[in-house]
Amino acid sequence: MPDTQPSAPVRRSGTTRAAILDAARERFAADGYERATIRAIAKDARIDPSMVMRYYGSKEGLFAAAVAVDLKLPDPAALPRHEVGHALVTHFLALWERNEVLTAVLRVGATNQAGAERLHGIFRDQLLPAASRVCPDPEQAPARAALVASQLLGLALTRYVLRLPQAVALAQEEVVAWLAPTIQRYLTAPAP
């Protein structure tokens, strides 16, 4: 007797991968790493859970692929030195406003080792080299980049994850006016 159930549409590998990643980003952002499941992500992507495992191997592998983040930082060395703080804060605010993946990474990074490692990689591979380009003493670049990260991630945590009303209510121009001088000092001022 022939099977009378409708078959799922056949998708190409690239389309399936994209559907999985889109579903994973949404699920990780909404549920966090611990509560997001392969089964739920597969259901959202309208595929069998075995396909997620086939393409990404594990939940950790899927998370790493789903939250690949290129900050596309402006090159601080290409900016007028006195505008570096302003440019970085403006850039980060624009990223956070339009990129839910960053919110997911921060939410997961605060509670899970896989997420924390992802944040470490972003810091090491993207923010640290940018800070090194303008830091007056290369040996201080790691500490200065960590201070920059503390300010930017603290803002993101209060504004986009915890959604503290006072942080959410600040206009972007206000955030830049308050935060840019601090970032500027961290990156370019003489050591205290």
Side-chain angles (χ1 to χ4, degrees):
M1 179 178 224
D3 186 5
T4 59
Q5 291 190 1
S7 62
V10 176
R11 289 195 232 178
R12 296 199 177 276
S13 171
T15 305
T16 300
R17 285 178 186 265
I20 293 168
L21 291 178
D22 288 343
R25 286 182 191 110
E26 289 179 23
R27 185 62 64 173
F28 285 130
D31 296 346
Y33 182 85
E34 296 299 330
R35 291 192 335 242
T37 65
I38 295 294
R39 187 171 306 282
I41 291 166
K43 181 180 177 189
D44 294 346
R46 302 170 97 172
I47 61 164
D48 187 86
S50 66
M51 294 300 290
V52 176
M53 300 307 284
R54 175 180 171 199
Y55 288 125
Y56 298 101
S58 66
K59 185 174 170 179
E60 292 81 11
L62 175 60
F63 180 74
V67 298
V69 175
D70 181 357
L71 298 176
K72 295 183 172 95
L73 293 174
D75 180 2
L79 299 169
R81 189 168 181 82
H82 67 281
E83 293 179 13
V84 171
H86 184 274
L88 284 178
V89 174
T90 302
H91 180 77
F92 269 95
L93 278 174
L95 281 176
W96 285 104
E97 291 290 330
R98 68 176 190 267
N99 191 333
E100 290 183 13
V101 172
L102 290 173
T103 303
V105 172
L106 183 58
R107 182 178 288 121
V108 172
T111 60
N112 177 274
Q113 186 60 34
E117 288 172 10
R118 198 76 184 129
L119 282 171
H120 294 179
I122 293 167
F123 170 82
R124 178 191 64 245
D125 299 340
Q126 297 180 54
L127 185 57
L128 181 57
S132 297
R133 289 186 193 99
V134 293
C135 179
D137 180 353
E139 289 183 16
Q140 295 174 349
R144 290 173 182 252
L147 291 168
V148 169
S150 73
Q151 295 296 305
L152 295 173
L153 292 176
L155 170 68
L157 181 66
T158 58
R159 188 174 173 99
Y160 302 107
V161 175
L162 300 175
R163 302 201 48 81
L164 294 178
Q166 298 81 358
V168 173
L170 288 169
Q172 287 188 29
E173 299 79 27
E174 290 177 285
V175 173
V176 172
W178 280 102
L179 201 53
T182 301
I183 300 301
Q184 181 73 35
R185 182 171 60 86
Y186 286 160
L187 289 173
T188 63

